[in-house]
Amino acid sequence: MSPLSGIRVLDLATPHGELAGRLLADLGAEVIKVEPPGGCDARDRAPFDHSGGPSTSQSLYWAALGLGKRSVVLDLDDPGDRSSVIDMVRSTDVLVESYTPGFLDQRGLGYAALSAVNPGLVYASITPFGQHGPKAEWPATDLTIEAASGRLSLQGDHDRPPLPIGYPQAAFHAGAQAATDVVIALNERAISGLGQHLDLSMQEAMIWSLMDATGYPPNTGGDPWGAGDDRAEAGWMRGNQLFACADGYMLGRVQFGRGVDPRSYTRAQLMEAAVQQDVRLAPVNTTRDIVQDRQLASRGYWKQVGDRIHPGPAARFSRTPMTMDRPAPQPGEDQELVRREPRPVSLATASGPRLGEAFAGLKIADFSWVGVGPITTKAFADHGATVVKVESETRIDILRGSSPFKDDLPGLNRSQWFANLNTSKLSLTLNMTSPEGLAVARKLIDWADVVVESFTPGTMARLGLDYETISVGRPELIMLSTCIMGQTGVYASYAGFGSHAAAIAGIHHITGWPDRVPCGPSGPYSDVVAPRFTVAALAAAIFERRSSGLGQHVDVSQVEASTHFIEPLILDEIVNGVTAAAAGMDSLTACPHGVYPVAGTERYIAIAVENEAQWGALCAVAPLDDFGAPRFGSYKGRHSVRSRINLAIARWTKTMDPWELEALLVAAGVPAAVVQRPTDLYRDPQLRERGFFVTLDHPEMGPTPYDGHATRFSAKPVMLHRPAPLLGQHTEMVLRDLLCLPPDEIADLAASWALL
């Protein structure tokens, strides 16, 4: 049995949200893809499987995103087929869709209509900018969403335009976030007995990939270094720490001894040394390197599904493993499901008023730090769990000492990067190197329902706090362990940060210009990818425990999770032997696809055209008469002359006001967005109307804007409950009120230096 066994999902998503159904299927749900006649759009996305020749080529994008799903074909413009959808909804737990706002409402398939048919339905809508607001119906692509979110402004080489990540990421962030929020809503439904509407903005999901950047404008008065007018002065953009070795590049700041030339060593040799000597160093892997990776092989990562090898599960459950046993279906392969007898949806009977908090009453002991772990536990704290973050004055969380700081004044309680990732939590300081402090840690674990940790594998075991030890006599206990490489394997002891994991997972290599050293994604990128999977996995384990009463250990490798964000490229390597290269501005699905200069210092606009209608719309407003021939209506025709098209567009845009040009293009139906800086996000009318930024009154920093959630839960009126805690702010309260320690024992602990 898998964590979501028994849950039924109707998947009406376009490529904007295709990953949601895939992840829910991996977690064990029955996911029924509702496709239009001719098949869903994802079936036409590159790359393609050419192993059987061009005449039989199949989409590897669909092979990845359709894995585990079933398929029925229904025409949503046909009244009879719409009735069939409604009949299926009667016995469905979840519906996922990513149409333009209002599209399904006009066909009687919106949330209001379907929740009347099935009050227990969790209905997730994924759109570029959310269900309402001035940009709600804007045309958009992954590129323009990256631009609107602010990520593009942080990336690329200083002397060229900002650069997107080398494979489209917005739909992957949004799809994984939607799946995560669906599982959270299923937990809330287990309490209230009711479903709800989840309204997810892809722009907001991508803002969560900026990490520290959104904290700069309100706390320092400007943008991060190199992300504003000073872009050209910044040299290499933040975080590029590459150096050449014998067979490629390594990522890391390392001092080699005199006479030691890293060019004489291979990446494998340097990686081995990094593991043995505990050095923060990582190979910049290609897709070929990933397929041949020793660590992944030692963990048995690769899975045969049908006639293809796929990347394995993003999380490992000790008792209820994820499911990967069905290849992507053919259109209508499971059409009999349309006529299946409906079964009742099993719902709880709520007692008392509905609070909308999925994890009210849940107790979490949080031993994680820096990025992935804190983002994970934040999700549970914001949804009502009591999360106690264990910290120590002797081993400060790195983010407490990381900018941006309130008013640019450093301090352990003044970092907005730390604050943004730790809302709604309690802070307990413990010196776990002392016997007394370690004893308190064990009492906290005995109090908790869930334990989360992100130490190097083996650390918790050395402390006597590993799952095998702490779960004795507590079969209901759940523990999540997350680290760079996973809890097992030849390189399990490797320690690093999100930038290293992104390099190992192949994302760094594909992000850059083909004629240059790859620049990689901005920041510790796996720290914003892995939580999409850790939260989903932990929420699924909690949901499963509601019926079984049993807990388990969940192991998430940040590298393994991150490979799923380039899975189609990895399949291209496995099937066709094609090693993905740095993409620059090139796209497998859109042309033109670029970031063009506009009026103003270091100002740019992103434009992407994915179909003939959008190309016609662009030609109607831009001076592209040289490309009016019918052959340019196709992607292939445009792609063959993309350099000329890009030059013509850049000549046109460079003197135009960015915001006026954006309005002109969008009104014509062309996906376009100004490359927004973090400062622009606070003026964005869409974010303002949706109330994305939430001001919380911090004890030392005062009223400060925090990033809100990418998804609005219709049953949850409050997104964030409390600001991040001061270091040790709740130590006495946790010991006294949660662990019920008497005053004299607390005093003895303080005297023994255990509470540092």
Side-chain angles (χ1 to χ4, degrees), residues 586-625:
D586 209 10
S587 166
L588 296 173
T589 60
C591 185
H593 181 272
V595 176
Y596 306 96
V598 290
T601 304
E602 294 294 333
R603 281 293 187 178
Y604 301 89
I605 192 167
I607 301 172
V609 169
E610 290 190 320
N611 54 52
E612 188 171 357
Q614 292 171 357
W615 173 244
L618 178 60
C619 290
V621 295
L624 296 170
D625 294 343

Side-chain angles (χ1 to χ4, degrees), residues 401-727:
S402 301
S403 57
F405 298 105
K406 182 70 172 182
D407 300 326
D408 254 346
L409 299 174
L412 294 180
N413 295 309
R414 301 182 67 81
S415 167
Q416 185 58 22
W417 193 356
F418 173 89
N420 212 29
L421 307 192
N422 289 280
T423 54
S424 307
K425 300 179 186 178
L426 308 174
S427 174
L428 165 68
T429 48
L430 284 181
N431 178 7
M432 291 174 59
T433 63
S434 74
E436 296 85 359
L438 191 58
V440 174
R442 180 56 198 260
K443 290 181 179 180
L444 182 70
I445 288 171
D446 291 341
W447 162 84
D449 303 301
V450 174
V451 177
V452 176
E453 62 94 10
S454 60
F455 295 123
T456 302
T459 301
M460 292 296 273
R462 288 193 293 273
L463 297 172
L465 302 179
D466 55 296
Y467 185 72
E468 289 71 19
T469 301
I470 63 177
S471 63
V472 172
R474 296 196 63 198
E476 78 286 355
L477 185 66
I478 295 173
M479 184 175 189
L480 170 73
S481 296
T482 178
C483 62
I484 297 293
M485 295 289 208
Q487 297 299 300
T488 60
V490 294
Y491 291 156
S493 62
Y494 176 86
F497 298 104
S499 54
H500 302 106
I504 297 169
I507 299 173
H508 198 111
H509 175 77
I510 62 173
T511 303
W513 298 97
D515 61 336
R516 288 188 174 178
V517 172
C519 62
S522 171
Y525 189 60
S526 79
D527 282 359
V528 295
V529 173
R532 309 289 190 198
F533 298 95
T534 53
V535 178
L538 185 53
I542 293 167
F543 179 78
E544 192 276 339
R545 184 177 63 182
R546 293 180 185 276
S547 57
S548 72
L550 298 174
Q552 56 188 311
H553 190 199
V554 183
D555 166 15
V556 179
S557 155
Q558 294 167 28
V559 167
E560 291 173 3
S562 297
T563 62
H564 286 280
F565 271 38
I566 60 167
E567 185 171 348
L569 298 184
I570 294 175
L571 291 184
D572 200 16
E573 179 73 59
I574 294 171
V575 173
N576 299 318
V578 174
T579 301
M585 289 290 179
D586 209 10
S587 166
L588 296 173
T589 60
C591 185
H593 181 272
V595 176
Y596 306 96
V598 290
T601 304
E602 294 294 333
R603 281 293 187 178
Y604 301 89
I605 192 167
I607 301 172
V609 169
E610 290 190 320
N611 54 52
E612 188 171 357
Q614 292 171 357
W615 173 244
L618 178 60
C619 290
V621 295
L624 296 170
D625 294 343
D626 290 347
F627 309 99
R631 66 188 178 92
F632 296 120
S634 71
Y635 165 84
K636 184 177 180 180
R638 296 191 301 275
H639 196 259
S640 65
V641 294
R642 61 190 181 281
S643 296
R644 290 172 51 205
I645 293 175
N646 286 330
L647 182 60
I649 294 174
R651 286 172 176 165
W652 173 59
T653 63
K654 65 182 181 180
T655 60
M656 300 185 72
D657 176 85
W659 311 103
E660 292 177 0
L661 178 57
E662 178 187 64
L664 173 69
L665 290 166
V666 168
V670 180
V674 172
V675 176
Q676 298 206 109
R677 303 167 178 178
T679 47
D680 296 324
L681 299 179
Y682 289 87
R683 297 186 287 265
D684 187 319
Q686 181 68 17
L687 297 175
R688 183 177 297 131
E689 178 157 329
R690 282 176 59 84
F692 175 70
F693 292 108
V694 178
T695 297
L696 299 174
D697 193 359
H698 187 271
E700 183 168 334
M701 298 168 69
T704 306
Y706 288 70
D707 295 359
H709 289 272
T711 301
R712 304 297 180 273
F713 288 69
S714 63
K716 179 176 166 57
V718 178
M719 279 199 284
L720 311 177
H721 293 289
R722 294 186 303 276
L726 301 173
L727 179 63

Side-chain angles (χ1 to χ4, degrees), residues 168-214:
Q169 295 288 284
F172 284 79
H173 279 282
Q177 184 64 54
T180 294
D181 291 334
V182 160
V183 184
I184 291 172
L186 288 172
N187 276 277
E188 195 280 336
R189 189 183 73 168
I191 300 170
S192 69
L194 297 171
Q196 58 181 305
H197 188 204
L198 311 182
D199 168 12
L200 186 148
S201 158
M202 298 173 72
Q203 179 195 27
E204 294 170 12
M206 282 304 294
I207 289 174
W208 264 103
S209 77
L210 272 60
M211 296 298 285
D212 60 325
T214 56

